[in-house]
């Protein structure tokens, strides 16, 4: 049996997985955590909204047909809230007809995957969505009336290595990819990202990337 990495730290990409099938929740959560993601789970849209009041993930992965609040209603709520409207969303659904995909994408999902699916494809779609979100962040980072300013200490000083790492984070690269590019271990990159989050008092990689872009560091 594969060993799992150490408990995810706050520099890891944070995912919210929403599904009323406990078996799927266990399998997908287990696989994503093995890939290095920090995964929070909810059983329906209403529970997910409660979690989103205090937990801001880098991506939402959710089923469509769920009790209490389905995926469509959840995403409608997410897209209407400027605090979390930017979060990329993936629908996982057994409804695989063309009209189902069209409705899901028109509702506000960025990706639509049909059950059953291959875990490798799921991870590839997650990584692709996170990279795309980072690219969009780079080109649409001007604050708006609805945007929430990042509260960062004014005396933050980064080392030359941290500066290089945060530039790559802002490009949407995962810790593993940054480690390969800089020819160091993934643990070393995780340490640098964690240090920067502590220095800036930010909560996740998305906020770190946004701060780097808005501060003209990236």
């Amino acid at each position: 049996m594969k060993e799992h990495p150490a408990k995810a730290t706050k520099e890891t990409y944070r995912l919210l997985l929403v599904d009323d099938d406990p078996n799927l929740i266990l399998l997908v959560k287990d696989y994503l955590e093995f890939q290095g993601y920090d995964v929070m789970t909810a059983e329906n849209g209403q529970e997910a909204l409660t979690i989103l009041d205090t937990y801001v993930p880098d991506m939402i992965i959710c089923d469509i047909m769920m009790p209490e609040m389905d995926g469509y209603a959840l995403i409608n709520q997410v897209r209407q809230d400027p605090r979390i409207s930017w979060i990329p969303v993936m629908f996982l659904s057994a409804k695989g007809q063309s009209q189902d995909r069209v409705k899901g994408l028109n509702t506000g999902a960025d990706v639509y995957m049909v059950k059953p699916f291959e875990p490798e494809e799921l991870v590839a779609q997650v990584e692709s969505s996170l990279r795309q979100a980072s690219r969009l962040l780079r080109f649409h980072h001007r604050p708006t009336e609805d945007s929430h300013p990042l509260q960062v200490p004014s005396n933050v000083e980064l080392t030359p290595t941290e500066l290089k790492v945060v530039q790559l984070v802002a490009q949407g690269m995962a810790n593993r990819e940054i480690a390969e590019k800089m020819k160091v271990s993934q643990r070393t990159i995780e340490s640098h990202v964690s240090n920067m989050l502590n220095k800036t008092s930010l909560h996740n990689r998305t906020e770190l990337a946004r701060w780097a872009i808005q501060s003209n560091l990236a």
Side-chain angles (χ1 to χ4, degrees), residues 16 18 44-46 48-49 52 59-64 66 69-81 84-92 103-111:
L16 176 59
V18 191
N44 57 62
Q46 193 60 57
L49 284 180
L52 288 167
M59 184 171 182
I60 298 171
I61 303 172
C62 74
D63 188 17
I64 293 179
M66 296 180 291
M69 178 184 286
D70 65 16
Y72 297 133
L74 169 62
I75 301 314
N76 277 327
Q77 294 271 6
V78 168
R79 293 299 181 235
Q80 291 173 20
D81 184 344
I84 55 177
S85 61
W86 55 268
I87 299 175
V89 173
M90 175 192 294
F91 271 148
L92 295 179
K103 182 177 180 180
L105 295 171
N106 285 341
T107 299
D110 300 280
V111 182

Side-chain angles (χ1 to χ4, degrees), residues 4-187:
H4 285 244
K7 181 177 175 59
T9 50
K10 65 180 182 180
E11 80 275 10
T12 305
Y13 277 119
R14 294 150 54 117
L15 310 178
L16 176 59
L17 175 61
V18 191
D19 201 297
D20 63 330
D21 182 345
N23 291 324
L24 184 138
I25 283 279
L26 284 174
L27 289 172
V28 174
K29 183 176 189 292
D30 189 66
Y31 192 83
L32 288 171
E33 286 184 339
F34 183 74
Q35 299 298 319
Y37 293 102
D38 180 7
V39 184
M40 179 78 77
T41 63
E43 294 182 357
N44 57 62
Q46 193 60 57
E47 184 179 334
L49 284 180
T50 300
I51 291 173
L52 288 167
D53 283 339
T54 56
Y55 178 89
V56 180
D58 294 292
M59 184 171 182
I60 298 171
I61 303 172
C62 74
D63 188 17
I64 293 179
M65 306 307 294
M66 296 180 291
E68 296 191 41
M69 178 184 286
D70 65 16
Y72 297 133
L74 169 62
I75 301 314
N76 277 327
Q77 294 271 6
V78 168
R79 293 299 181 235
Q80 291 173 20
D81 184 344
R83 184 180 61 90
I84 55 177
S85 61
W86 55 268
I87 299 175
V89 173
M90 175 192 294
F91 271 148
L92 295 179
S93 177
K95 298 164 69 70
Q97 298 297 316
S98 176
Q99 61 266 30
D100 298 319
R101 293 174 182 269
V102 170
K103 182 177 180 180
L105 295 171
N106 285 341
T107 299
D110 300 280
V111 182
Y112 192 106
M113 287 192 66
V114 179
K115 303 175 185 177
F117 50 84
E118 292 295 329
E120 293 83 0
E121 183 183 0
L122 173 65
V123 171
Q125 291 281 13
V126 168
E127 291 184 350
S128 175
S129 295
L130 291 171
R131 283 195 298 269
Q132 182 179 17
S134 292
R135 286 196 298 271
L136 290 173
L137 180 66
R138 290 179 63 81
F139 288 99
H140 303 281
H141 65 271
R142 294 193 185 97
T144 65
E145 293 180 359
D146 294 326
S147 65
H148 292 249
L150 296 172
Q151 301 298 318
V152 176
S154 59
N155 59 343
V156 174
E157 293 186 5
L158 302 182
T159 67
T161 302
E162 288 172 344
L163 181 59
K164 179 64 175 176
V165 171
V166 79
Q167 289 170 342
L168 296 175
V169 168
Q171 291 175 25
M173 295 179 67
N175 287 346
R176 182 189 70 256
E177 296 171 314
I178 297 173
E180 292 172 356
K181 184 177 182 66
M182 297 183 65
K183 296 180 170 56
V184 296
S185 70
Q186 182 172 332
R187 187 174 295 275

